């Protein structure tokens, strides 16, 4: 059962902004923003808060996650075997029926009551940059008062110069052509191809915004990673031509290949492909440890 440990005091409001999160909001947690113990244990199945970062340069590092709702893209991948793989967090990006509005103070207090010995928070989505003004207020306090390391996962289509200095590791995950819905893939998922899907191809690539993030990292001594989802060897040509050749100031160790797949079966197919392509090009392979551990469960 939960240990009756002394809890940090809930801090009185100092902030003014709100954030729109998914239902689980800050995860995995055992206490709410007031410090009360929750009845249910987190989706990890553990009786304590926290998980490990499953992806990227900091894979394996104990972390708390903050998942914001809404995304400016609607990704859908056609696997080489014809299967369609939807965004692994579609409930956060475009099936956002159940969201949760919290004040920045409520988010901060939830972090305070659950952070324990962890030193890392990961802000993810959906696309967190759609709420960059509120995020700036949140991150300023996460850094100045809680002294936490902040990773932000973003699709790299948007930049914000106020927020950038506050992000210790910006995890840029630009989307390749393979992520754009097609009439056939949308139909397979019983979704309407029209409307926002049509914008995917237009807005998914913004190398100016990516370069601004990378330049800011150099100025403020922060780090970045360029994380590409792959399922097919041809995608490496596109990564080089459309992204790496247009960008300056990266090293091979900043380029990560992550296998396409939101569940264990899809990952099992695409992991050997991503590993081989990483080895051939001198880049890194990025696992998805949370999917290995918990499958496609949310809030882990
Ligand atoms: N443990 C864990 N690691 C993660 N790394 C990136 C995640 C994401 O969904 O953005 C994620 C996630 O949802 N859980
Ligand atoms: S950009 Fe990321 S969060 Fe948004 S739809 Fe694509 S995979 Fe999902
Ligand atoms: Mg993700």
């Amino acid at each position: 059962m939960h240990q009756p440990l002394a809890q940090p005091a809930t801090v009185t409001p100092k902030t003014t902004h709100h954030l729109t999160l998914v239902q689980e909001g800050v995860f995995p947690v055992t206490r709410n923003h007031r410090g009360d113990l929750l009845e249910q244990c987190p989706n990890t199945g553990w009786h304590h808060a926290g998980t490990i970062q499953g992806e990227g340069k900091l894979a394996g590092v104990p972390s708390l996650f903050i998942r914001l709702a809404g995304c400016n893209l609607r990704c859908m991948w056609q696997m080489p075997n014809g299967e369609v793989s939807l965004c692994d967090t579609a409930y956060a990006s475009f099936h956002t029926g159940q969201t949760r509005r919290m004040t920045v103070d409520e988010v901060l207090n939830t972090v305070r009551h659950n952070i324990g010995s962890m030193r890392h928070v990961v802000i993810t989505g959906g696309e967190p940059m759609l709420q960059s003004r509120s995020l700036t207020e949140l991150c300023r306090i996460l850094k100045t008062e809680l002294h936490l390391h902040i990773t932000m996962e973003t699709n790299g289509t948007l930049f914000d110069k106020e927020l950038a200095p506050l992000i210790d590791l910006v995890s840029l995950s630009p989307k390749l052509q393979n992520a754009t819905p097609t009439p056939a893939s949308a139909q397979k998922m019983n979704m309407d191809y029209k409307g926002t899907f049509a914008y995917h191809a237009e807005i998914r690539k913004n190398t100016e915004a990516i370069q601004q993030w990378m330049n800011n990292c150099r100025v403020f001594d922060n780090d970045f990673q360029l994380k590409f989802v792959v399922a097919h060897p041809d995608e490496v040509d596109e990564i080089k031509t459309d992204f790496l050749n247009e960008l300056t100031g990266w090293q091979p160790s900043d380029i990560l290949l992550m296998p396409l797949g939101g569940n264990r079966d899809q990952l099992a197919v695409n992991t050997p492909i991503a590993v081989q392509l990483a080895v051939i090009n001198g880049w890194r392979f990025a696992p998805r440890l949370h999917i290995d551990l918990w499958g496609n469960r949310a809030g882990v």
Side-chain angles (χ1 to χ4, degrees):
M1 279 311 293
H2 303 302
Q3 299 297 312
L5 295 175
Q7 290 301 310
T10 299
V11 174
T12 40
K14 275 189 246 168
T15 61
T16 52
H17 289 88
H18 286 78
L19 286 158
T20 304
L21 300 101
V22 298
Q23 267 305 311
E24 78 256 24
V26 184
F27 69 90
V29 296
T30 55
R31 292 179 186 270
N32 65 17
H33 65 94
R34 284 183 290 271
D36 307 325
L37 268 180
L38 301 172
E39 277 173 27
Q40 280 207 322
C41 72
N43 283 353
T44 51
W46 297 335
H47 293 287
H48 57 82
T51 179
I52 50 167
Q53 167 58 285
E55 303 175 1
K57 286 183 179 177
L58 294 179
V61 173
S63 307
L64 264 191
F65 281 74
I66 301 169
R67 192 183 299 283
L68 306 187
C71 186
N72 54 349
L73 294 182
R74 302 266 186 282
C75 299
M76 214 180 266
W77 289 264
Q78 184 102 38
M79 305 239 308
N81 68 2
E83 236 180 85
V84 175
S85 173
L86 209 56
C87 163
D88 62 340
T89 52
Y91 63 94
S93 50
F94 47 99
H95 290 153
T96 47
Q98 280 198 308
T99 56
R100 179 171 176 189
R101 201 167 139 83
M102 291 174 83
T103 64
V104 166
D105 281 295
E106 286 169 343
V107 175
L108 282 166
N109 281 325
T110 309
V111 172
R112 283 189 181 97
H113 289 298
N114 290 280
I115 196 75
S117 313
M118 292 177 280
R119 296 290 90 201
H120 290 71
V121 291
V122 183
I123 297 165
T124 187
E127 177 45 59
M129 284 300 296
L130 296 180
Q131 304 182 55
S132 68
R133 279 197 61 195
S134 304
L135 261 191
T136 304
E137 189 173 55
L138 174 77
C139 291
R140 198 159 277 143
I141 302 176
L142 287 174
K143 288 239 62 80
T144 58
E145 290 184 21
L146 280 74
H147 308 293
L148 296 174
H149 180 286
I150 304 175
T151 300
M152 183 176 73
E153 308 275 349
T154 174
N155 60 26
T157 57
L158 301 164
F159 176 74
D160 184 311
K161 70 178 191 314
E162 306 295 325
L163 178 62
L166 302 167
I167 306 297
D168 297 281
L169 171 63
V170 56
S171 179
L172 298 153
S173 189
K175 296 300 172 278
L176 304 177
Q177 282 171 31
N178 64 8
T180 298
T182 61
S185 62
Q187 195 184 16
K188 268 192 192 163
M189 300 312 289
N190 281 327
M191 292 173 82
D192 186 4
Y193 175 73
K194 293 198 199 79
T196 45
F197 287 173
Y199 294 118
H200 193 289
E202 248 174 76
I203 70 161
R204 69 173 171 83
K205 181 186 162 206
N206 184 353
T207 36
E208 290 82 21
I210 295 173
Q211 190 67 62
Q212 282 179 302
W213 278 110
M214 290 164 60
N215 294 349
N216 257 261
C217 286
R218 202 164 43 228
V219 173
F220 294 101
D221 201 22
N222 292 329
D223 199 7
F224 69 88
Q225 63 194 18
L226 279 164
K227 199 171 64 175
F228 295 97
V229 171
V230 291
H232 197 279
D234 289 352
E235 284 147 9
V236 165
D237 296 336
E238 186 187 345
I239 291 170
K240 289 179 181 167
T241 322
D242 285 6
F243 291 94
L244 302 185
N245 290 353
E246 291 185 16
L247 296 166
T248 59
W250 55 269
Q251 301 194 329
S253 56
D254 299 319
I255 313 304
L256 282 70
L257 297 187
M258 200 163 76
L260 171 63
N263 61 49
R264 289 187 188 119
D265 292 341
Q266 292 175 343
L267 278 190
V269 174
N270 293 321
T271 291
I273 298 168
V275 171
Q276 283 183 63
L277 295 175
V279 170
I280 291 167
N281 291 283
W283 301 333
R284 291 193 190 179
F285 166 73
R288 310 195 79 187
L289 300 175
H290 53 301
I291 296 179
D292 295 340
L293 282 163
W294 291 286
N296 60 357
R297 200 180 298 175
V300 292

